[in-house]
Amino acid sequence: MTVRHFLDIDDLTAAEVDQVLTLAGRSDLPKVLAGKGAALLFEKPSARTRHSMEVAVMELGGHPVTDTGELGRRESVEDLARVLHGYHAVIAARVFAHDKVARIASVSQVPVVNMLSDDAHPLQALADVLTIKQEFGSLAGRHIVWSGDFSNVARSLAKAAGKTGMTMVAACPAGYGATPVDLAAMPWLSATDDPHGAVEGADCVATDAWYSMGQEAEADERRPVFRPYQVNTALLERARPSAIVMHCLPAHRGEEATDEVLDGPRSRIFPEAHNRLHTARAVLAFLLGVRP
């Protein structure tokens, strides 16, 4: 079997994204990791990613081996990957620089999964799309609005939107939005600096922290820039009455979104978080040959 990797949404075709979403809805997947190990490498600490991946591996019959620390410090990233693929059936990594997970994949003889990098967060994007599908029953024609920083999460979600027939607008302050390269590559993605105008007709309003792990020193600088992009009741009043709110968590409550929104009837942040398990399990199964 050809080794497949999952470093970003681009590694799946539209039909394959649909297959993974279908697998995510199943609780009877074959134990493709029975008697096998899965290496889970964490440069960045995590709650949702670590718990969801460890449980996903166990539900597929495998044994997760979690390791933390900077990759490439004690030995080259490539040497580590060559060692680990002799022990494990799959390698997953949560890193700062995307180049590191790409380097692992370049030499690994087993599937490699990007659990997060500075460029992409594809497992989160799949969980988000699954959440929208669960809410509305279909994806084609749905419209997502992203308010805030066009982060790695936003970029992967935009790619997933295109794979599933949705459109997306990124409402971001100057200097923090989708790049011309992003917009040229994803014609279903548009950009604006007007969040209140952007949410007109939205089926889903999504956001993320204004400063991510490693950007804490920029917090005081970023807060006033992003304050107009806060997801609050006034903003949601402009969206469709059926619109839902998503946030990948952890949230800085009172900053990118208010408690009233995060705990309100439109919020789907906890089903979204729970879907991280279902999509992680589905991705692992897919890479190991399982099909609906």
Side-chain angles (χ1 to χ4, degrees), residues 173 176 210-211 218-229:
Y176 297 95
W210 294 339
Y211 45 94
E218 303 175 32
D220 290 341
E221 174 187 347
R222 284 172 170 251
R223 284 189 186 102
V225 174
F226 284 101
R227 193 160 290 121
Y229 297 83

Side-chain angles (χ1 to χ4, degrees), residues 6-57:
F6 184 58
L7 307 188
D8 203 354
I9 296 295
D10 295 337
D11 289 325
L12 300 177
T13 66
E16 288 172 338
V17 169
D18 185 65
Q19 289 178 350
V20 169
L21 295 176
T22 299
L23 292 175
R26 289 177 51 184
S27 59
D28 62 341
L29 295 179
K31 306 295 185 183
V32 289
L33 285 173
K36 300 177 182 179
L40 308 182
L41 310 178
F42 288 84
E43 279 195 325
K44 282 187 171 184
S46 161
R48 279 148 294 278
T49 301
R50 179 168 179 172
H51 285 270
S52 62
M53 287 297 290
E54 288 191 356
V55 174
V57 169

Side-chain angles (χ1 to χ4, degrees), residues 196-221:
H196 287 266
V199 299
E200 297 282 356
D203 294 299
C204 174
V205 179
T207 191
D208 192 4
W210 294 339
Y211 45 94
S212 299
M213 193 179 302
Q215 298 174 328
E216 290 84 358
E218 303 175 32
D220 290 341
E221 174 187 347

Side-chain angles (χ1 to χ4, degrees), residues 134-192:
Q134 289 170 339
E135 183 71 23
F136 297 106
S138 62
L139 294 170
R142 298 294 172 187
H143 183 54
I144 304 169
V145 173
W146 182 274
S147 185
D149 186 13
F150 195 75
S151 61
N152 51 354
V153 177
R155 184 171 290 107
S156 289
L157 178 56
K159 291 180 178 182
K163 295 281 187 180
T164 55
M166 295 189 286
T167 57
M168 180 167 159
V169 57
C172 311
Y176 297 95
T179 68
V181 173
D182 291 323
L183 296 170
M186 295 181 279
W188 56 88
L189 172 68
S190 58
T192 181

